[in-house]
Amino acid sequence: MFLKNRPIPIDKMNRIGQIESDHKAIDLVTKATEEDKKKNYEEAFRLYEHGVEYFLHAIKYEAQSDKAKESIRAKCAQYLERAEKLKKYLKEKQKKKPIKDTDGGPPSKNNDNNSSDSDNEDPEKKKLLNQLEGAIVIEKPNIKWSDVAGLHGAKEALKEAVILPIKFPHLFTGKRKPWKGILLFGPPGTGKSFLAKAVATEANNSTFFSVSSSNLVSKWLGESEKLVKNLFEMARQQKPSIIFIDEIDSLCSSRSDNESESARRIKTEFLVQMQGVGNDNDGILVLGATNIPWVLDAAIRRRFEKRIYIPLPDEIARLAIFKFNIGNTPHSLTEENFKELARKTDGYSGADISVLVRDALMQPVRKVQTATHFKRVSGPSRSDPNDIVNDLLTPCSPGCPGAIEMSWVDVPGDKLLEPVITMSDMLLSLSSSKPTVNEADLIKLEEFMKDFGQEG
């Protein structure tokens, strides 16, 4: 009994205090009954516990008739039985079945057995499903295969797993089945998440789940593995589905004796759901991405049937990345300039090049900020690009013909014509930027690729 050995403060209590404790007991169990009806079971359990304490104190220390004491004992037994059921319910987090309202009295003995609530009516399951609904990508990222530079092997594998089974289902009958697990691994910034965005865009009829550890890890014991199970159940209900898990190493690292029980149970549930007995994963692709694939558990690694290495971009891919990141920003770069930049950025990842170009795009802004002279030039009007006006101002050197001494503060907002991006701007930004990929990590990734993966 959970009340055993619980101390009851009785020192120096007078008769008035005893009467007050009796009223306090009635007030507590009344509140407990109300909380019980509202299904606030933790608060109800606490109030039942304290109410019973006060009743026991009244029986022991107050002068009452035997009949009154017997009535209080009967009430105590009733509240204790209810409290014990609540205690058992709160402890058994694995089951989490809702307890029926019983107007404060004890539930019937067959309450658990007669419960006919389906999973869909389970409030706990509804809560977990609501948590996972945020992982469903509703608005497509609008990134096409053509936006991904290089990575032909990875794109082909993803098309085999996602696009072709949806468009030509008759191709995948009998023993020919699409891939159910693809792991993208490689240095940071090489386009693994970008590929996933392309998959989300191109797989028009699929439900795309973008999952991180925050979606699946809970502080409550037993809830994390339930979230994993419900994630796969949602994917099965809405298939064809794609579950993308970025930085999967944070969830599925190698199992060891030193890890917590909750972490081990999450991994076990992943293993069971991805390829366990009784789980039908037809129409579901699990897409994982990681920078450190060697820390993954061997069983998880095996469940990813295709393990594709996403390397640093080659020269042709780097040239395409430069063009993609500059976009339609006004510039004076020639094809030879782009080729030279691609040659000079060997060892840079796609993300490094993106940062480099963003820095170069800011060079005209810096010229405007630091300029001491401006000159009048012709250019398109801000209100109507088809209308050419002759009163625009652009920064220039003090010795330039027609230079007017002024700062950017004196330039009207609609009269500024910013300088175009030049090769010197790109080289200036290149001189101050460095690649972020570690050589030692590259060696480990290539060794992992030779042992377990394939070139992307």
Side-chain angles (χ1 to χ4, degrees), residues 255-266:
R255 287 169 286 183
S256 66
D257 295 336
N258 300 325
E259 69 181 346
S260 66
E261 179 64 21
S262 59
R264 180 183 290 271
R265 287 160 72 166
I266 291 175

Side-chain angles (χ1 to χ4, degrees), residues 140-151:
K140 302 299 181 185
N142 196 27
I143 294 172
K144 303 186 182 303
W145 295 122
S146 56
D147 297 330
V148 182
L151 304 179

Side-chain angles (χ1 to χ4, degrees), residues 188-189 347-349 351-352 434-438 441:
Y348 282 64
S349 69
D352 296 335
K434 297 290 183 288
T436 57
V437 180
N438 190 324
D441 285 346

Side-chain angles (χ1 to χ4, degrees), residues 18 124 175 209 239 265 287 351 419 434 436:
Q18 291 168 352
E124 290 295 333
K175 294 295 184 182
F209 296 82
K239 62 184 181 182
R265 287 160 72 166
L287 186 62
K434 297 290 183 288
T436 57

Side-chain angles (χ1 to χ4, degrees), residues 182-186 192 245-256 259 267 270-271 274 286-308 445 448 452:
I182 296 179
L183 177 68
L184 305 175
F185 68 94
K192 298 180 292 296
I245 308 170
D246 205 359
E247 307 299 342
I248 193 171
D249 50 90
S250 63
L251 287 169
C252 300
S253 58
S254 296
R255 287 169 286 183
S256 66
E259 69 181 346
K267 294 169 196 173
F270 255 114
L271 293 170
M274 283 186 72
V286 181
L287 186 62
T290 179
N291 307 323
I292 44 176
W294 52 85
V295 306
L296 289 177
D297 189 78
I300 290 286
R301 186 177 66 224
R302 182 189 69 75
R303 279 160 170 78
F304 286 105
E305 301 156 322
K306 299 280 280 186
R307 298 171 289 276
I308 302 173
L445 284 163
F448 184 89
F452 304 109

Side-chain angles (χ1 to χ4, degrees), residues 98-349:
I99 297 180
K100 294 182 178 180
D101 292 334
T102 56
D103 298 329
S108 63
K109 293 180 180 179
N110 296 324
N111 187 37
D112 293 336
N113 296 333
N114 294 336
S115 177
S116 60
D117 291 341
S118 65
D119 286 342
N120 292 332
E121 295 170 350
D122 187 345
E124 290 295 333
K125 184 166 184 177
K126 282 185 179 178
K127 174 190 164 190
L128 298 178
L129 293 177
N130 288 338
Q131 285 180 245
L132 290 168
E133 279 182 359
I136 300 176
V137 176
I138 305 297
E139 191 173 337
K140 302 299 181 185
N142 196 27
I143 294 172
K144 303 186 182 303
W145 295 122
S146 56
D147 297 330
V148 182
L151 304 179
H152 301 294
K155 286 192 279 190
E156 291 304 314
L158 289 169
K159 287 175 186 176
E160 284 179 14
V162 182
I163 310 301
L164 291 176
I166 296 172
K167 191 167 185 180
F168 307 110
H170 60 275
L171 274 177
F172 298 90
T173 54
K175 294 295 184 182
R176 186 191 293 129
K177 294 183 179 179
W179 306 112
K180 294 182 181 178
I182 296 179
L183 177 68
L184 305 175
F185 68 94
T190 51
K192 298 180 292 296
S193 300
F194 201 70
L195 268 172
K197 290 179 181 179
V199 172
T201 303
E202 296 285 353
N204 293 323
N205 299 323
S206 294
T207 307
F208 192 90
F209 296 82
S210 182
V211 180
S212 66
S213 57
S214 63
N215 297 113
L216 300 177
V217 177
S218 170
K219 65 180 179 179
W220 301 110
L221 182 64
E223 195 165 277
S224 295
E225 51 266 39
K226 281 192 174 183
L227 283 165
V228 173
K229 182 179 179 182
N230 284 325
L231 170 66
F232 279 85
E233 283 183 2
M234 284 177 71
R236 291 184 191 106
Q237 290 167 5
Q238 303 184 44
K239 62 184 181 182
S241 300
I242 302 154
I243 300 173
F244 173 60
I245 308 170
D246 205 359
E247 307 299 342
I248 193 171
D249 50 90
S250 63
L251 287 169
C252 300
S253 58
S254 296
R255 287 169 286 183
S256 66
D257 295 336
N258 300 325
E259 69 181 346
S260 66
E261 179 64 21
S262 59
R264 180 183 290 271
R265 287 160 72 166
I266 291 175
K267 294 169 196 173
T268 303
E269 191 62 36
F270 255 114
L271 293 170
V272 171
Q273 292 298 326
M274 283 186 72
Q275 207 174 71
V277 176
N279 289 327
D280 177 21
N281 284 347
D282 287 341
I284 298 174
L285 169 68
V286 181
L287 186 62
T290 179
N291 307 323
I292 44 176
W294 52 85
V295 306
L296 289 177
D297 189 78
I300 290 286
R301 186 177 66 224
R302 182 189 69 75
R303 279 160 170 78
F304 286 105
E305 301 156 322
K306 299 280 280 186
R307 298 171 289 276
I308 302 173
Y309 179 43
I310 308 298
L312 291 173
D314 57 17
E315 189 173 318
I316 296 172
R318 292 197 296 273
L319 187 147
I321 293 169
F322 269 109
K323 289 183 176 180
F324 178 79
N325 281 284
I326 288 180
N328 58 3
T329 307
H331 65 85
S332 61
L333 299 175
T334 64
E335 190 67 22
E336 284 302 316
N337 293 148
F338 280 114
K339 289 180 180 178
E340 183 182 349
L341 289 169
R343 285 194 298 271
K344 288 177 178 289
T345 50
D346 185 29
Y348 282 64
S349 69

Side-chain angles (χ1 to χ4, degrees), residues 368-376 393-396 402-412 415:
V368 170
Q369 281 186 303
T370 58
T372 57
H373 291 73
F374 287 77
K375 66 177 181 179
R376 297 193 182 279
L393 293 166
T394 191
C396 65
I404 305 170
E405 186 175 356
M406 60 193 304
S407 71
W408 65 271
V409 178
D410 304 315
V411 178
K415 297 300 179 183

